[in-house]
Amino acid sequence: MTRREVLRLMGVGAVAGTSGRLCFGQSPSFVPDVELALRAGAGTAPILPGAATRVWRFTGEVLKGPPRSLDVIPDSYLGPTIRLQTGQKVRIRFTNALPEPSIVHWHGMDMPSAMDGHPHSVIDPGHEFIYEFEVTNRAGTYWYHPHPHSRTGPQVYSGLAGLLLVSDAEERALNLPSGPEEIVCVLQDRSFDADSQLRYVAGGMMEHVQGFLGDRVLVNGVERPSFALATRAYRFRLLNGSNARIYKLGWSDGTPLTVIGTDGGLLQRPIEQPYLTLAPGQRADVILDLSRRDVGTAFELRSAPYSSNAVDAMDMMGMGMGRGMGGGMAMPQASLPNGSLLSLLTVHIDRHEESAFHLPERLSTFESSWDAEPTVAARRVTLGFQQGQWLLDGRIFDMHDTTLEETVVAGSTQIWEIVNSQGMMGMQMAHPIHLHGRQFRVMSREGMSTAGAVVAQGFVDAGWQDTVLVLPGETVRVKIPFTRHPGLYLYHCHILEHEDMGMMRNFAVRPPAAPTVNRVAREFRS
Ligand code: C2O
Ligand code: CU
Ligand code: CU
């Protein structure tokens, strides 16, 4: 057997995935604590005044376990918020009622390869995929969305996304604001036609280069919602669920953001900073303490302006010619470019309420992998553009292929040096690079431009992340403790149009001891 065939085997029943009703992991010995039904299908949502908008959406139902395992966001096209606890055994029966193949990925969760929603697992319309897994992640703000190859952008854009909130004992002991004091905010930009229907373009030069940027920003599926809050502390769970837009969040009255968590859960201690930058796919957990505010006052959550050169740069042959100076090679501009000042939501303080909330100085303890030593030499991963195509490590996606550098040992730790260098064409973009499996740690950043530094004012590199924004010119070193599950996983740009065009690669996780082919095969059958 060739190495490639072994890896194909490691792709775990990839092939059987398309046969639909036959599903993985549905073992009689698996007794779930929580069982959910999740369906992706067509529907409508009231987004703009006037006609309802046709969307694709997730709907769900709790079949077993705590009724709060699913939490519907009223009037939103977003999928129900899934609430799980570390250690729970979960079964999710996913039905594809879309007119095209799909599969669900649990972004940020450490899943067995077969449960990760790799595009090779897509199921056809009318079929069902049964996920079975144990929640091993720490408390955090994760999310779920479809992941079929080349169709992730349009499917997410159509409305298919939802939050997955995990809690654990460490988090519960903090008594963070919960119930009505916990507010989820999913940021997504969209464009509409005159009939209030979603407009999506993926094929144009602009979308090809920059990804799709809508001209209205929705929060939980509504434009500029207003939250009537009391004089107490609130917990905001923020997700940038946009296809390509990068937000530099800030409160309009200058209050700093109190960040308590990133992609991979709580920080060790809270951080206060004037801005919070969220690239597509990233999340943040933020405390807003209104206890000393006056009733009757209001302020906004905004995305602060920054030069779009910070995230898209075009420098012909490295000769220092900026945008528009490259002899007709100017970067095309969206009607609402990245870096535009945006008003996202309003907080209105409408009542007085006593609250005794006090944010602890110590939030969490990181597992030892935060300080683990890498076992092999750093790997260099380049982000580049060639012949009209974004590349990852000089390649485009292939459903089953991995290179030697893309083969890692389960549970081992590596440094990956992500280099957003300047190609011959001088075409550069900021790319949010996402890894499936375990969360990683940002070790260093080098080579940021002056314009980029303005966006970087909102970076939080102090916590676990599964998505890191790599600005033009930057080299970002991340330390990754890989998942202990063997099999195929993905890393890719989370600008969904870049991902769809193939700025995505597999990495193969192999068991620690060099396995014989038979052993690999056996492990995956069991
Ligand atoms: Cu959020 Cu591979 O994706
Ligand atoms: Cu993911
Ligand atoms: Cu990209």
Side-chain angles (χ1 to χ4, degrees), residues 105-109 116 145 147 434-437 466-467 490 492 494:
H105 167 61
W106 319 96
H107 181 129
M109 300 288 281
D116 193 46
H145 61 76
H147 218 304
H434 168 55
L435 253 98
H436 288 210
D466 54 53
T467 308
L490 296 166
H492 59 86
H494 221 286

Side-chain angles (χ1 to χ4, degrees), residues 67 94 143 184 203 211 231 237 299 301 323 339 381 396 438 450 503 505 514 522-523:
F94 168 60
W143 66 300
V184 302
T231 52
R237 308 269 214 157
F299 57 99
L301 180 67
R323 178 203 308 282
V381 181
I396 59 165
R438 288 273 296 280
T450 322
M503 195 182 189
R505 294 286 303 169
R522 231 183 304 121
E523 278 181 22

Side-chain angles (χ1 to χ4, degrees), residues 254-278:
T255 306
L257 282 124
T258 306
V259 184
I260 60 164
T262 50
D263 294 342
L266 294 171
L267 296 169
Q268 290 168 304
R269 47 191 75 78
I271 290 182
E272 287 212 338
Q273 51 184 54
Y275 300 104
L276 170 64
T277 300
L278 282 188

Side-chain angles (χ1 to χ4, degrees), residues 18-33:
T18 46
S19 64
R21 302 224 169 254
L22 158 71
C23 297
F24 296 106
Q26 197 186 9
S27 59
S29 61
F30 186 90
V31 184
D33 304 305

